[in-house]
């Protein structure tokens, strides 16, 4: 689970950073895409017993 946890953390952090950048740039389409990906990653983490907000 260590490698999975590390990877999900990286993916969530990268996606969150990309979401913030898209929002700052005013790109609503890209922001929506990143928000959806972030929701998916949170769901995947939760399904594996990982608190997605504590990642």
């Amino acid at each position: 689970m260590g490698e999975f946890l590390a990877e999900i953390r990286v993916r969530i952090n990268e996606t969150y950073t990309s979401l913030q950048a898209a929002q700052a740039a005013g790109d609503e389409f890209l922001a929506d895409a990143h928000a959806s990906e972030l929701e998916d990653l949170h769901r995947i983490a939760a399904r594996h017993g990982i608190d997605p907000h504590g990642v």
Side-chain angles (χ1 to χ4, degrees):
M1 176 81 95
E3 190 173 328
F4 176 77
L5 180 58
E7 182 63 25
I8 201 80
R9 281 182 175 159
V10 167
R11 295 277 311 275
I12 286 174
N13 288 331
E14 287 176 348
T15 304
Y16 182 71
T17 300
S18 296
L19 170 60
Q20 289 180 313
Q23 289 172 332
D27 189 336
E28 291 181 36
F29 178 78
L30 188 56
D32 286 346
H34 289 308
S36 292
E37 183 178 358
L38 197 54
E39 288 175 12
D40 289 343
L41 290 168
H42 283 186
R43 247 190 314 278
I44 291 167
R47 204 174 326 145
H48 290 277
I50 299 168
D51 177 12
H53 301 289
V55 195

